[in-house]
Amino acid sequence: MNRIIECVPNFSVSQQQDPEVYQQLVDTANSVKGCVLFDAQTDGSHNRCVFTVMGKPESVEEAAFLLAKKASETIDMTKHVGQHPRMGATDVIPFIPMSNVSVQECVEISKRVAERLWKELGIPSFLYEDSATRPERRNLATCRKGQFEGMPEKLLQPEWAPDYGERKIHPTAGITAVGARMPLVAFNVNLATSDVSIADRIAKAIRASGGGFRSCKAIGIKLEERNIAQVSMNMVNYEDTPLYFAYEMIKTLAERYGTSVVGSEIVGLTPAAALIDCADFYLKLENFDKKTQVTEYGLLNTSWEQSNEDGRNDSKGL
Amino acid sequence: MNRIIECVPNFSVSQQQDPEVYQQLVDTANSVKGCVLFDAQTDGSHNRCVFTVMGKPESVEEAAFLLAKKASETIDMTKHVGQHPRMGATDVIPFIPMSNVSVQECVEISKRVAERLWKELGIPSFLYEDSATRPERRNLATCRKGQFEGMPEKLLQPEWAPDYGERKIHPTAGITAVGARMPLVAFNVNLATSDVSIADRIAKAIRASGGGFRSCKAIGIKLEERNIAQVSMNMVNYEDTPLYFAYEMIKTLAERYGTSVVGSEIVGLTPAAALIDCADFYLKLENFDKKTQVTEYGLLNTSWEQSNEDGRNDSKGL
């Protein structure tokens, strides 16, 4: 059974502004066996980059630490300028379960990495998202408020002691948010109206903060080029709040406001399960077990490279 | 990019009736590197077993040949008794694309294996399904009609020369059907009526043979234990005829006959894509590209074992 997690660390450096440091981070990610640098996004005006590392939990855990170490050796936050809010050379390290790993295991990984950041590098950290030790720390923006420059003062406030480390930032690497979360699905639903106030009202109704679905964040926006309104969502836990909950409620509310749904979109990646669960709902499937009935899950759990080398394998049913 | 195919050969032997021969086939499947014996079903009254071998195309091709060779050495069709229709020691060898392989490539594989069956083992074969050289040979039952005992005579008919080999069966191994096909999804839709004649009429309307969907086979049956009628389908190419085509048409026809759909089921395995395409339809997704946006396809295309051994990897976006 292949166990896979994802880590999406954010660093306060960009290929555009500091290509050498950026390349050292890429090389560090590529130096760890058992995981791969799946994607890397770099933004010059934000002066920030986002890596996606995938692989075996122990490999990804090690890669996350080594990347934070390299960032602490090469990035000086006292000189960092960029448009994106940030508080550390390694700003945030989320661990995300992908295959045969629970969120709880990712929480444990986040705590071990946070401990090493402090003990080996002297970098304090907040635990956020599902690793948070108190409700207000779940939210990254709340943790990061004040940014790198305001952190020395913030850490002295009674309620803002770091989860790991003392009440002072690392002089050049700042402080890092470390946590575990479910994969996020960016899901937008387009309405047959140009009236963005309708999208606003629907967004408020369906999101957790408005009494709506617990794992749905939503805002109303205008798609200027198409002259239509859109309900733009982050589905932060598709197991808790399935995509079809949001879609069906938006459909119902659109009708209530005299309009309708013209389409939807998924931005970026989604786990197959988020969509398979929708098919299960709309086809009224009975007793469908995706983990055993969807071929790809079986394929992901098969070790092709290792198969048969010692004359036996993972075959089922024998 | 990992390329994976499936092969589901059927052999005229069972663990129940001949455990030693059965075990030799299992051992043969397990002896080939780069593929795994994913599943094995054996039926004593049919005196037949069905293996599911998955892996790299070249490995699965080799495993299929070695299995047919072992079957020809260990099974004597002149002594075979069983309820299931059969014409050879290796009765049928279908190759099925799973990941990053086309049906056309599986057709090529089927032809190479059929050629080796004749040249190296003296076993003739019919090409069937998508490998068929004429329309009536697409259908396995048509090829197999007459069974092992009737084959010597059948092969002498003008239109029934084997695709590979001469017009005579192998004395003990008979003749084999070899072909390529898409993965089949067994999809059933349950109706809110006990009147099986309604399920019959719907089945006739939606299946290819009744002027319905090209890649849908359907019959009406009664689920005695629940006292409801069911439209039982084989979706033989979910890319050609998506599951939601069948589901929506059944829903419409059920209403026309004064009843409704109460649920559906998928029996056994399905590729994720067959269900993701349904979610795409029901959520009205715009511009969704499952091959790049569904995480699991990316995971399947990543070589974890080999990553970083030579200091580089498959990372994207760099």
Side-chain angles (χ1 to χ4, degrees):
Chain A
M1 203 168 66
N2 289 339
R3 290 159 45 81
I4 300 171
I5 68 167
E6 181 184 62
C7 181
V8 191
N10 290 220
F11 305 101
S12 296
V13 70
S14 62
Q15 186 176 33
Q16 293 83 353
Q17 291 203 27
D18 203 337
E20 267 185 43
V21 169
Y22 178 84
Q23 189 56 47
Q24 287 184 54
L25 290 173
V26 169
D27 294 343
T28 299
N30 282 332
S31 72
V32 183
K33 199 174 162 181
C35 61
V36 296
L37 180 54
F38 209 66
D39 190 31
Q41 302 289 335
T42 172
D43 185 309
S45 62
H46 286 179
N47 198 15
R48 186 180 180 86
C49 64
V50 179
F51 283 16
T52 302
V53 179
M54 291 252 201
K56 302 176 182 177
E58 59 277 17
S59 302
V60 173
E61 178 177 340
E62 180 66 12
F65 174 77
L66 292 176
L67 282 165
K69 182 167 188 286
K70 180 58 72 180
S72 73
E73 293 163 356
T74 54
I75 299 170
D76 183 352
M77 290 304 290
T78 64
K79 304 202 170 87
H80 183 271
V81 177
Q83 285 171 17
H84 197 286
R86 77 286 178 274
M87 59 181 175
T90 304
D91 199 51
V92 48
I93 310 177
F95 293 97
I96 303 140
M98 283 286 122
S99 186
N100 299 312
V101 178
S102 68
V103 173
Q104 191 50 44
E105 289 174 277
C106 287
V107 168
E108 298 309 318
I109 291 170
S110 71
K111 289 180 179 174
R112 284 199 298 270
V113 169
E115 188 172 19
R116 288 185 72 187
L117 290 185
W118 174 247
K119 287 196 172 168
E120 300 182 37
L121 308 177
I123 301 170
S125 59
F126 296 126
L127 295 175
Y128 82 120
E129 291 278 6
D130 291 349
S131 302
T133 52
R134 39 177 104 176
E136 69 273 17
R137 293 196 183 183
R138 285 189 75 89
N139 189 289
L140 176 62
T142 310
C143 292
R144 195 160 53 195
K145 199 174 174 192
Q147 297 195 49
F148 175 74
E149 291 76 8
M151 276 298 147
E153 196 174 336
K154 179 174 180 172
L155 297 190
L156 298 176
Q157 295 171 24
E159 68 275 25
W160 282 106
D163 287 294
Y164 287 85
E166 295 170 10
R167 287 179 181 267
K168 58 179 185 194
I169 62 166
H170 183 287
T172 56
I175 181 168
T176 301
V178 189
R181 62 168 172 82
M182 282 287 284
L184 178 152
V185 181
F187 181 46
N188 302 326
V189 175
N190 298 327
L191 304 179
T193 177
S194 59
D195 184 352
V196 74
S197 76
I198 294 176
D200 269 336
R201 274 175 284 176
I202 293 176
K204 277 178 192 151
I206 64 167
R207 69 194 179 204
S209 62
F213 299 119
R214 182 167 63 176
S215 296
C216 175
K217 296 179 179 178
I219 56 169
I221 64 169
K222 181 84 174 277
L223 298 187
E224 295 294 347
E225 68 278 16
R226 291 171 67 180
N227 195 32
I228 58 171
Q230 178 184 80
V231 182
S232 179
M233 294 172 283
N234 276 336
M235 306 299 290
V236 297
N237 186 333
Y238 66 86
E239 290 180 352
D240 190 42
T241 302
L243 270 59
Y244 59 84
F245 276 28
Y247 184 84
E248 287 298 313
M249 196 64 197
I250 292 171
K251 207 164 78 173
T252 299
L253 291 169
E255 192 186 352
R256 177 249 177 276
Y257 290 117
T259 183
S260 60
V261 168
V262 296
S264 72
E265 65 173 343
I266 285 171
V267 182
L269 289 172
T270 177
L275 293 175
I276 291 170
D277 290 349
C278 292
D280 185 294
F281 173 77
Y282 289 107
L283 297 176
K284 298 186 183 183
L285 288 178
E286 298 175 357
N287 305 316
F288 184 67
D289 176 8
K290 58 181 179 277
K291 284 296 171 190
T292 59
Q293 291 190 261
V294 171
T295 315
E296 281 78 0
Y297 291 121
L299 297 179
L300 278 172
N301 284 334
T302 304
S303 266
W304 308 109
E305 302 302 330
Q306 296 173 329
S307 66
N308 301 316
E309 282 183 347
D310 57 356
R312 51 166 206 84
N313 62 29
D314 302 339
S315 60
K316 303 181 305 177
L318 293 175
Chain B
M1 203 168 67
N2 289 339
R3 290 160 44 82
I4 301 171
I5 68 168
E6 181 184 64
C7 181
V8 191
N10 290 220
F11 306 102
S12 296
V13 70
S14 60
Q15 186 176 32
Q16 292 83 353
Q17 292 205 27
D18 202 336
E20 266 183 48
V21 169
Y22 178 83
Q23 189 57 47
Q24 287 184 54
L25 291 174
V26 169
D27 294 343
T28 300
N30 281 333
S31 72
V32 183
K33 199 175 160 181
C35 62
V36 296
L37 181 53
F38 209 66
D39 190 30
Q41 302 289 336
T42 173
D43 185 309
S45 63
H46 286 179
N47 198 15
R48 184 179 182 87
C49 63
V50 179
F51 283 15
T52 303
V53 179
M54 291 252 200
K56 301 176 182 179
E58 60 276 18
S59 301
V60 173
E61 178 176 340
E62 180 67 12
F65 174 77
L66 291 176
L67 282 164
K69 182 167 189 288
K70 179 59 68 178
S72 74
E73 293 162 357
T74 53
I75 299 170
D76 182 351
M77 290 305 292
T78 63
K79 303 198 170 88
H80 182 270
V81 177
Q83 286 171 18
H84 197 288
R86 77 287 176 275
M87 60 182 174
T90 302
D91 198 51
V92 48
I93 310 179
F95 293 96
I96 302 141
M98 283 285 123
S99 186
N100 299 312
V101 178
S102 68
V103 173
Q104 192 48 45
E105 290 174 276
C106 287
V107 169
E108 298 309 317
I109 290 170
S110 72
K111 290 180 178 173
R112 284 199 298 269
V113 168
E115 188 171 19
R116 287 185 72 186
L117 290 185
W118 174 246
K119 287 196 170 168
E120 300 181 37
L121 308 177
I123 301 171
S125 58
F126 296 127
L127 294 176
Y128 83 118
E129 291 277 8
D130 291 349
S131 302
T133 52
R134 40 178 103 175
E136 68 274 17
R137 294 198 181 183
R138 287 190 73 88
N139 189 289
L140 175 63
T142 310
C143 292
R144 195 160 54 194
K145 199 174 175 192
Q147 297 196 47
F148 176 75
E149 291 75 8
M151 277 298 147
E153 195 173 335
K154 178 174 181 172
L155 296 190
L156 297 176
Q157 295 171 25
E159 68 276 25
W160 282 107
D163 287 292
Y164 288 86
E166 294 170 11
R167 287 179 181 268
K168 57 179 185 195
I169 62 167
H170 182 287
T172 56
I175 182 169
T176 301
V178 189
R181 62 166 171 83
M182 282 286 285
L184 178 153
V185 181
F187 180 46
N188 303 327
V189 175
N190 298 328
L191 305 178
T193 177
S194 59
D195 184 353
V196 74
S197 77
I198 294 177
D200 270 336
R201 274 176 282 177
I202 293 176
K204 276 179 192 149
I206 63 167
R207 68 194 180 204
S209 62
F213 300 118
R214 182 168 62 174
S215 296
C216 175
K217 297 179 178 178
I219 56 170
I221 64 168
K222 181 83 174 276
L223 298 188
E224 295 295 346
E225 68 280 16
R226 292 171 66 180
N227 195 33
I228 58 172
Q230 179 184 79
V231 182
S232 179
M233 295 173 282
N234 276 336
M235 305 300 290
V236 297
N237 185 334
Y238 66 86
E239 289 180 353
D240 190 40
T241 301
L243 270 60
Y244 59 85
F245 276 28
Y247 184 83
E248 287 298 313
M249 196 64 196
I250 292 171
K251 207 163 78 174
T252 298
L253 291 169
E255 191 186 354
R256 178 248 176 279
Y257 290 117
T259 183
S260 60
V261 168
V262 296
S264 72
E265 66 174 341
I266 285 171
V267 181
L269 288 173
T270 176
L275 293 175
I276 291 171
D277 290 349
C278 293
D280 184 295
F281 173 78
Y282 288 108
L283 297 177
K284 299 187 183 181
L285 288 178
E286 299 176 357
N287 304 315
F288 185 67
D289 177 7
K290 57 180 180 278
K291 284 295 170 193
T292 59
Q293 291 191 260
V294 171
T295 316
E296 281 78 359
Y297 291 121
L299 297 179
L300 279 172
N301 284 335
T302 304
S303 268
W304 309 108
E305 302 303 329
Q306 297 173 327
S307 66
N308 302 316
E309 281 182 349
D310 56 356
R312 49 164 209 87
N313 62 30
D314 299 341
S315 60
K316 303 182 303 179
L318 292 176

